[in-house]
Structures are given as C-alpha cells and as structure tokens.
Amino acid sequence: MSLTPPKNITDGLNKKQKEAVITTEGPLLIMAGAGSGKTRVLTHRIAYLIHEKQVNPWNILAITFTNKAASEMKIRVNNLVEAGGEDVWVSTFHSMCVRILRREIDRIGYNSQFTIAGSSEQNTLMKRVLKKLNLDTKKFPPRAILSEVSNAKNELISEKDYEQNASNYWQKTVAKCYNEYQKELRVSETVDFDDLIMLTVRLFEEHADVLSFYQNKFQYIHVDEYQDTNHAQYRLVNLLGQRFGNVCVVGDADQSIYGWRGADMQNILDFEKDYPKAKTILLEQNYRSTKNILQAANTVIQNNINRKDKKLWTDNTHGEKISVYFASDEYAETNYVADQIERLIRENPSMSYNDFAILYRTNAMSRVMEETLIKRNLPFQMVGGTGYYERKEILDLMAYLTLIVNPADNLSFRRIVNEPKRGIGNATIDKLAEIAETNGISLYEAALHAQNTNLSKRAANNLEEFALMIRDFRKMTEFVTITDLVESVLDKTGYLDLLKRENTLEAETRVENLEEFYSVTQTFDQSDSEDKSLLAFLTDLSLIAPTDDIEEESSEITLMTLHSAKGLEFPVVFIIGVEKNIFPLIRQDSTEDDLEEERRLAYVGITRAEEKLFLINASSRLLYGRRQYNPTSPFIEELDEVVIEIERKEGLPTYMTGDYSGSFKRQTTLTPTQKKKNYATKSSVTSKRKQSAGSGAETYDWSIGDKASHKKWGIGTVVQIKGEKEDLQLDIAFPNEGIKHLLASFAPIEKVSDNE
C-alpha cells in the first residue's frame, strides 16, 4: 500500500539532487559518486514525473542491473506516489527484454515459449559441441569459448559475422563452436542471457513498427549504473530513446569495474557526445562514509587519467583512520581480521556480525579466511560460492520443469532423461539424437515414438515411459499450482524417494534443498502476479542474480570478492591481500587500462566502508600451491598519510626501511600534468622500463607494421599504436592468439629486425 506523498517531492533533497529530479526534458547525465543517493534521486525523479508533470506511469522506464535494485526502486516509487507506481516499468535489462520477447519474438522466427539456458546448461552444451567437433577441452576450455561467444554477442556480432571476420586459428575455432552452439540452442527453442539483449536489438532493427511501439511507450527512460553497460545494452537504450530523447543515465565512471565482461566505460564518458544537448549534473556529496574514508578514496582514484573529474565530500565526521596492517603471512592476516571482529563486537554491544564484510580480489583467497572463521566459531556467509540454484538437485528439478513447459528443450531432456537412473545410457541417447535430427524433431518427440525406431525394445520402452510421464505433467500444468506440480514431479519420478533411501548426510542435505524449493513455489503461488504459469515461474527464477540471495538481516560476517561488493555497504570493511600481483592483479599482458580498472576496483572497495576500513597486506602468502613474496600494493602507497595508521611494523618485508609512513603520498591536489607524471612514476605497471637489446634506449620507437617477439606468443605484427613514451600502448596481432593490447614499457617484447 502506497504512503501519502510529501507536499513537495523534492523535500529533503540537496541542491544537486533536486536539480537532477526536476530536469525532466532532454538527455541527462547524472554522474553520481559512491554513497551520493543516486537511488533516491532516481525514485524521486520518477515520482516527480508522475506527481508533478502528470506523466502516465506506463510511459516511464527504469532499467537497473539487479533484481534487488529493481525491487527496492519499485517499493520506493510506490511509497512516493498516491497511485500508479506499480505501472512504471522497473526491471533489469534481461527482465525487460524477456518481457518484450515473450510478446514479439515470433516476428523473428522464435517460439514465444522459449526457455533460458543458465551457465550450467551453457557449459554442458559447449562441452558437447567441442566433443562433436573433436576438439581438445584442455586446449579449448569450454568456459573460454563461451566467454568469447559472450563477448561477440555483447558486441552484437552474430555467428555468421564472427565467422566471416575470424582471422586466426583461435577465432576460426571459436567460429565453428559458436555456429554449433547457436544451432543447438535454436533447435531447443532456447536462448542464453546474451541472446535476450541481442535478439531484442535485432527485433527493433528489423521491425520498425515494433520499435515505434516501444519508443512511444517509453517516453522517459532511466538507466542506472550506466558505466556498466556493454555495446548491446548501449544500442538498446539508444534505439528506445531516439523518438523523445528523454534519456536519463546515472552512473559513476570511477566505479566501472566490469571491463573484463564487456562493460564499456566509454558509454558514460561519451554520453555528452552521443547526446549533444545533454545536461550533466555531478552528485558529489556522500552520505555513507566518514571524511577519512572519502579522502582515501579520492586520493587513490585521482591517479587515474581516463575519468571525469569529481571529488566526493561529506558532512559526516572524520571518523577513525584507516588501519593498514602488515602481516607476516596469510594466517597472521586472517587471524588479525578475526581478532578485530571479536574486539569490535566485545567493545560495541550494539554491533552484530552482519556489520562486517571481508573483501578480496579473487575467490581463491577466501579459503584461509573461511578456515580461520570456522576455527574461531565466527558465523559467516559466502557470496559467490555454490548458490542454491546452482546445486545439482535443484538444477535437475528445474530441468524437469523446463522440459514440461518446453518439450523442444533438448538440453533439459539430456540432463534428466536418466536422472534418476532409468536404464537409458549415453549410447541410447546418441542414437535417439540421430533419429531426432534425421526427422527434424525434438528428443522428446522422438522418445514418444521410440517403439517405431530401430532402438532395442528395452531402451524404447524406457524412453517412451519417460516421455509419457512428461506428457502427463504437461497436462497437469493447466489445472494445478506450481507447488502441486513440483510435489508430483518429485513423487512420480522417484527422485526424492531415492535420495531418502540413500540415508547419507549428503543425500539428507539434498532432500532439505529440494524441500526448501516448496518455499519458492509457495511464494510464487501466493504472489499478486497475474501470470501464474509455469513459464512465468521459470522465467523469474532464471533471472535471479547471485547477489540477490544475500541475507541482509542474518547475523553473519559477509565474505565476497570486491566485484560482488559493488552496490553494498557495511559499517566495517576489511580488504585482504592488498599486494602487488594480487591487488592490483597484474599479468604479463596487463595494460594501463587494466591498471586503471584495478584502481577503480580499489575505489569501490574503499567506499563500501561506512565507519571503519582495514587494509591488510601479507609479506608472504601461499596461493595456488606456491609461496609468494609480493611487494606492497601501489594502492596503499597512494594513500594520504594523514588518513592512515600503521597497525604493525614488525615483520615488514626487508625492502621497507625507516619510517614506512614516509612513502605515503602527501600531496592531495594534483594538476592534470602532475597526475600524469604521478601515474607514470608510481604505478606498478608503468614504473618498469624495458631496454632495447644492446641499444641502451627505452623501447618507445615503434611503428605500425613492426615485428615484435613475445616470450610466450611468438612473433606478431604491430597493428595500432596509442600514447607516447611510458604510456605507449601497442596492439599486436599474434597468429595464434589474436590481437593483444600491450604496454611497451612493461611487456616482455623485443623488436625483430627485417633481417632476423
């Protein structure tokens, strides 16, 4: 139920927030720093359009990146307007595209009952594609191929276009896999997550009347976290906004941390070029963190060159200084974290374990931390581990439900045709697949008529019995709830009974997980949703993101990667492993852009803290099976000494002498020239110089067409050059690796003369 709106929607907003809310016409870029109240601005802007501008709620679109953010936005909008809030389209990119495609996808030849393949199904399918193409999964890992395919789709490159442009062995191999992968998805009337956006763009580009309908519908468009959009998402927003031009994007270039998965920060940096009449408003007042934490964030991020200048400030107190702790090894590191949590809980009775977050650069770093917390009997929850919906028994149950709603889904058929065991082996399924392909039918249809094939009588009976059971379930969907259907599936398949008879601890856990699924179905059955179909239920589940499952009210310490922490906040934050080669994560082919993204990740991590921040460094660390001795992260060196306190000097690495605090940066305001100089001298990548063989000169003398020898990738050709001197970046095409982006001053390359 909506609350009565305030007399003025803009009451309680600061000057810049109010300006963003009442600027309703034309393109608008809201560059919102961390903790600056961007969600508040977005929801008040939508409410202002409805309440003050009398805009129809159904003509307003708001796109977010997570279901959690969308849900929060819907609730806030409903609380701000008397009526109509529920008619605003607030959804993620994927949810919006599903909604459009369910209605329109038949225009491009797809069935509106299509199902959505999750990461597990995608991986299984790609493994089968590699097997079919006789490719070694060690040389061509399925997930690496899928990543390349995903990148192509994010760039709106179809399998045919990719194949035409493939220029080396790797790309040509990916092209074959991409083709087969899409064929399998198409036959199964299934799409993956990247297809959802790619197909919607295709729909709009091929059918002007459909695009016109949605352009007229969405007269006011809002996009949250615009810095995280990829090319396909950018194109989608651009198409929708062409008629009215009322495109409002909110984001922060300094929090762009998903370049590795296709996000293009230039989308937000180039917004004013894309929309010449755009107005830009900076939200710089932070309501989350203390002055010391913000000063630390500002002094680190100002070392990046590719950014739109802004500086966070706050009316909050200075707060405690940032604790920098140098541990002797990974166990001293994790014990220090546990000690501090126990101390703070003991000294502050009002605090609970969910006030603490422990962040790290890669999931592998969580192992020792988990062990320590378990030994110390400290409760914690992991974000990014094996989620509930990724467990085998849940994936099996979902496959049953998916096959019931979409019998053409060969991926789901293969997963559960012999789960639990029915005497249907791989050889039988392969023969059935040949029959299905020859006749142009699905595996399910072929199984229904298995008696009319050359399969053995036993195999044919088993297949037909399975198919008839699925057919019966399909009939049930017309008159039973989802809960009743799930209960029937678990009963008639014998899946639950088999687990109960195993009588092991693992089986008992799996039974509990399946029984917990009833909570999911009952919530759906009892919801206010108009569409109570099985397809709607499965669509909702397929769009759940890992961070949607975080239990904010549970009294547990949160462990997660820095990437997963984006958008969250905690009173106390520990960032462990703040060491060069770990954070920033530096590889041989790392470039200046890579380091800048790592620094943005540090900025995100720092600004998750509300009251207290700990940065922990271990001088010795066993990771990936080898003992490492990593130097201190440049992100610690870039901190202002006035905001930090060294918790420990004993056991520091031998290269640290004297007063360590003297190496912290004292200058807090840099000119653009000083920034560039500081970047070149202090960054862990650009500070290293390569010498030309025998010349004694720095290797900055490169031209397009030069040959370069790389220790690992062999000889390649320079195809593009950017920057100069220590910032010189080379794009080098290697025959078997494709184009690599390398920093000349750091990469292990040497120029090859023509006579070599």
Side-chain angles (χ1 to χ4, degrees):
M1 182 177 176
S2 298
L3 302 177
T4 303
K7 291 180 181 179
N8 192 328
I9 293 290
T10 59
D11 284 354
L13 300 178
N14 67 38
K15 183 180 178 181
K16 288 294 182 181
Q17 289 175 332
K18 180 177 180 179
E19 184 183 0
V21 165
I22 64 175
T23 304
T24 58
E25 306 306 307
L28 176 64
L29 168 61
I30 304 174
M31 198 68 89
S36 62
K38 66 181 179 66
T39 304
R40 180 178 173 84
V41 168
L42 271 177
T43 52
H44 278 69
R45 191 175 193 271
I46 293 169
Y48 185 83
L49 284 167
I50 298 170
H51 197 259
E52 302 293 335
K53 293 291 185 176
Q54 304 300 306
V55 174
N56 294 322
W58 49 87
N59 292 141
I60 301 171
L61 170 67
I63 309 174
T64 70
F65 270 83
T66 67
N67 294 306
K68 181 181 175 184
S71 177
E72 181 183 349
M73 197 175 293
K74 285 178 185 175
I75 292 169
R76 289 202 195 184
V77 170
N78 276 323
N79 286 342
L80 285 169
V81 296
E82 290 178 324
E86 63 278 358
D87 293 322
V88 178
W89 267 44
V90 183
S91 67
T92 64
F93 272 102
H94 294 107
S95 297
M96 178 187 74
C97 290
V98 167
R99 200 167 168 183
I100 293 171
L101 292 173
R102 287 280 179 230
R103 172 175 169 166
E104 313 283 358
I105 199 170
D106 59 307
R107 302 286 290 269
I108 52 175
Y110 279 75
N111 189 319
S112 62
Q113 297 289 102
F114 67 85
T115 46
I116 304 168
S119 58
S120 176
E121 290 85 0
Q122 288 179 272
N123 199 47
T124 299
L125 173 55
M126 189 56 77
K127 284 179 182 176
R128 194 159 66 250
V129 166
L130 290 167
K131 184 179 179 181
K132 182 178 181 179
L133 296 175
N134 263 336
L135 292 170
D136 185 350
T137 54
K138 291 183 179 178
K139 291 182 180 178
F140 301 98
R143 293 196 184 280
I145 302 284
L146 282 170
S147 177
E148 190 76 10
V149 169
S150 177
N151 289 338
K153 291 183 179 184
N154 288 338
E155 291 294 324
L156 298 175
I157 300 171
S158 69
E159 64 271 32
K160 291 179 182 177
D161 291 339
Y162 189 95
E163 186 176 25
Q164 287 176 358
N165 294 307
S167 59
N168 56 49
Y169 181 63
W170 165 257
Q171 290 176 351
K172 288 175 181 177
T173 303
V174 170
K176 292 177 185 176
C177 296
Y178 190 179
N179 266 310
E180 286 298 322
Y181 174 77
Q182 286 304 110
K183 282 180 188 176
E184 288 279 352
L185 286 178
R186 195 70 186 82
V187 166
S188 296
E189 292 291 354
T190 301
V191 300
D192 63 21
F193 273 83
D194 298 314
D195 285 328
L196 292 173
I197 297 173
M198 190 177 183
L199 289 174
T200 306
V201 171
R202 177 185 157 192
L203 173 71
F204 287 164
E205 290 179 339
E206 293 181 6
H207 297 275
D209 59 325
V210 177
L211 174 59
S212 179
F213 173 83
Y214 287 100
Q215 284 177 335
N216 280 325
K217 178 173 179 55
F218 301 130
Q219 297 176 19
Y220 293 85
I221 298 170
H222 304 77
V223 186
D224 194 12
E225 304 288 7
Y226 192 65
Q227 78 281 350
D228 292 334
T229 54
N230 57 38
H231 177 67
Q233 292 161 338
Y234 161 84
R235 179 64 179 152
L236 183 66
V237 172
N238 186 262
L239 284 168
L240 286 172
Q242 282 176 0
R243 177 156 300 181
F244 290 95
N246 297 323
V247 178
C248 169
V249 302
V250 185
D252 182 5
D254 289 336
Q255 295 187 71
S256 178
I257 58 174
Y258 296 118
W260 51 277
R261 71 180 189 196
D264 187 354
M265 187 177 71
Q266 287 304 126
N267 289 345
I268 195 167
L269 292 178
D270 292 344
F271 185 82
E272 292 149 310
K273 294 179 184 176
D274 295 332
Y275 300 88
K277 295 181 180 179
K279 180 174 183 177
T280 299
I281 297 172
L282 301 181
L283 300 184
E284 298 172 293
Q285 183 175 359
N286 175 285
Y287 292 92
R288 174 190 302 159
S289 306
T290 63
K291 284 185 171 68
N292 281 331
I293 290 170
L294 290 189
Q295 188 171 339
N298 285 329
T299 53
V300 168
I301 199 63
Q302 71 178 358
N303 289 279
N304 274 3
I305 297 167
N306 190 27
R307 63 186 293 260
K308 191 175 183 70
D309 195 39
K310 70 176 187 313
K311 191 169 184 178
L312 292 180
W313 62 275
T314 185
D315 283 333
N316 294 340
T317 64
H318 281 280
E320 293 187 48
K321 288 188 175 184
I322 293 152
S323 294
V324 179
Y325 182 79
F326 295 94
S328 56
D329 60 23
E330 69 273 22
Y331 287 100
E333 174 184 61
T334 57
N335 276 304
Y336 170 76
V337 172
D339 286 343
Q340 294 306 308
I341 292 173
E342 289 178 340
R343 176 184 66 80
L344 289 168
I345 288 282
R346 187 171 59 249
E347 294 175 359
N348 303 277
S350 62
M351 292 191 79
S352 61
Y353 290 115
N354 63 345
D355 290 329
F356 301 91
I358 303 169
L359 312 180
Y360 34 81
R361 179 60 182 81
T362 61
N363 275 309
M365 295 187 63
S366 70
R367 181 187 62 83
V368 179
M369 193 73 250
E370 289 179 69
E371 290 176 5
T372 301
L373 294 177
I374 291 169
K375 289 175 183 175
R376 302 281 285 265
N377 200 28
L378 293 172
F380 66 93
Q381 61 170 327
M382 288 283 297
V383 176
T386 302
Y388 176 76
Y389 293 102
E390 296 171 336
R391 300 183 187 280
K392 180 188 181 303
E393 58 275 13
I394 302 303
L395 288 171
D396 287 345
L397 177 55
M398 296 277 283
Y400 270 107
L401 298 177
T402 300
L403 187 61
I404 291 167
V405 83
N406 176 16
D409 191 334
N410 291 339
L411 306 181
S412 296
F413 183 97
R414 284 178 177 271
R415 182 178 184 99
I416 44 90
V417 67
N418 199 41
E419 190 68 52
K421 303 296 182 187
R422 297 186 176 89
I424 303 172
N426 290 332
T428 298
I429 297 172
D430 289 342
K431 288 179 184 176
L432 187 71
E434 289 177 14
I435 294 167
E437 190 171 353
T438 301
N439 292 278
I441 58 178
S442 67
L443 292 175
Y444 165 77
E445 288 178 284
L448 271 177
H449 303 95
Q451 299 288 3
N452 302 325
T453 67
N454 59 358
L455 290 169
S456 70
K457 186 172 181 61
R458 181 171 174 271
N461 285 338
N462 290 339
L463 283 167
E464 187 179 51
E465 185 179 334
F466 171 76
L468 289 171
M469 179 178 65
I470 297 298
R471 189 175 68 179
D472 289 343
F473 288 144
R474 283 176 57 74
K475 292 176 182 176
M476 287 179 62
T477 60
E478 299 175 17
F479 53 87
V480 300
T481 64
I482 305 300
T483 302
D484 290 340
L485 178 65
V486 167
E487 190 172 9
S488 184
V489 168
L490 291 176
D491 177 35
K492 292 183 179 179
T493 60
Y495 197 107
L496 198 60
D497 189 50
L498 182 66
L499 285 175
K500 288 178 178 177
R501 287 203 307 269
E502 281 185 25
N503 199 29
T504 64
L505 187 60
E506 181 185 355
E508 187 179 330
T509 301
R510 293 173 66 188
V511 168
E512 289 172 354
N513 287 334
L514 287 169
E515 289 176 342
E516 174 59 22
F517 198 77
Y518 289 130
S519 300
V520 181
T521 60
Q522 286 171 15
T523 299
F524 179 82
D525 287 335
Q526 295 164 13
S527 70
D528 295 329
S529 173
E530 292 181 11
D531 188 352
K532 294 293 183 67
S533 68
L534 177 58
L535 182 61
F537 174 72
L538 290 172
T539 300
D540 284 352
L541 291 191
S542 68
L543 297 172
I544 290 176
T547 51
D548 291 335
D549 293 332
I550 299 175
E551 296 182 35
E552 294 181 352
E553 298 306 316
S554 65
S555 185
E556 295 175 316
I557 302 160
T558 301
L559 272 65
M560 65 173 80
T561 64
L562 284 146
H563 283 97
S564 297
K566 188 169 177 290
L568 303 176
E569 56 193 58
F570 302 87
V572 183
V573 170
F574 299 86
I575 304 180
I576 62 174
V578 192
E579 303 144 28
K580 182 183 173 184
N581 301 325
I582 291 179
F583 188 37
L585 188 61
I586 300 299
R587 298 184 175 92
Q588 273 196 332
D589 61 343
S590 290
T591 65
E592 183 179 298
D593 288 342
D594 295 327
L595 181 64
E596 290 213 350
E597 179 151 322
E598 291 287 304
R599 188 176 279 108
R600 291 193 293 272
L601 190 56
Y603 176 82
V604 167
I606 291 169
T607 54
R608 296 314 92 196
E610 297 173 327
E611 300 168 12
K612 179 65 179 177
L613 175 66
F614 295 84
L615 303 177
I616 303 117
N617 170 302
S619 56
S620 166
R621 182 184 300 281
L622 182 64
L623 191 63
Y624 309 122
R626 60 188 178 87
R627 178 62 60 181
Q628 301 181 17
Y629 300 90
N630 296 311
T632 303
S633 169
F635 303 151
I636 288 182
E637 295 175 355
E638 289 166 358
L639 288 171
D640 229 320
E641 65 175 16
V642 299
V643 301
I644 64 100
E645 58 184 359
I646 305 295
E647 289 279 314
R648 169 188 168 116
K649 293 186 181 180
E650 297 80 16
L652 292 183
T654 55
Y655 57 82
M656 296 179 187
T657 57
D659 182 6
Y660 183 73
S661 63
S663 70
F664 286 82
K665 186 164 58 176
R666 298 173 185 276
Q667 188 171 7
T668 58
T669 304
L670 300 178
T671 66
T673 304
Q674 288 172 323
K675 264 194 223 176
K676 198 166 184 73
K677 181 179 178 182
N678 180 70
Y679 184 94
T681 56
K682 294 187 78 65
S683 91
S684 60
V685 172
T686 57
S687 62
K688 191 170 182 177
R689 299 285 183 264
K690 288 284 293 178
Q691 300 295 317
S692 296
S695 70
E698 292 178 335
T699 55
Y700 303 139
D701 184 22
W702 290 90
S703 302
I704 292 176
D706 283 348
K707 297 294 183 183
S709 175
H710 188 281
K711 290 181 180 179
K712 181 178 178 183
W713 300 322
I715 296 177
T717 305
V718 177
V719 295
Q720 188 171 352
I721 297 174
K722 300 174 186 174
E724 58 184 14
K725 294 189 177 180
E726 65 270 2
D727 298 321
L728 187 71
Q729 181 178 313
L730 307 176
D731 287 4
I732 304 177
F734 294 95
N736 295 322
E737 301 292 335
I739 295 176
K740 297 290 184 179
H741 312 290
L742 305 175
L743 202 65
S745 61
F746 180 76
I749 54 174
E750 291 183 359
K751 189 181 293 186
V752 179
S753 61
D754 294 334
N755 58 359
E756 285 188 41

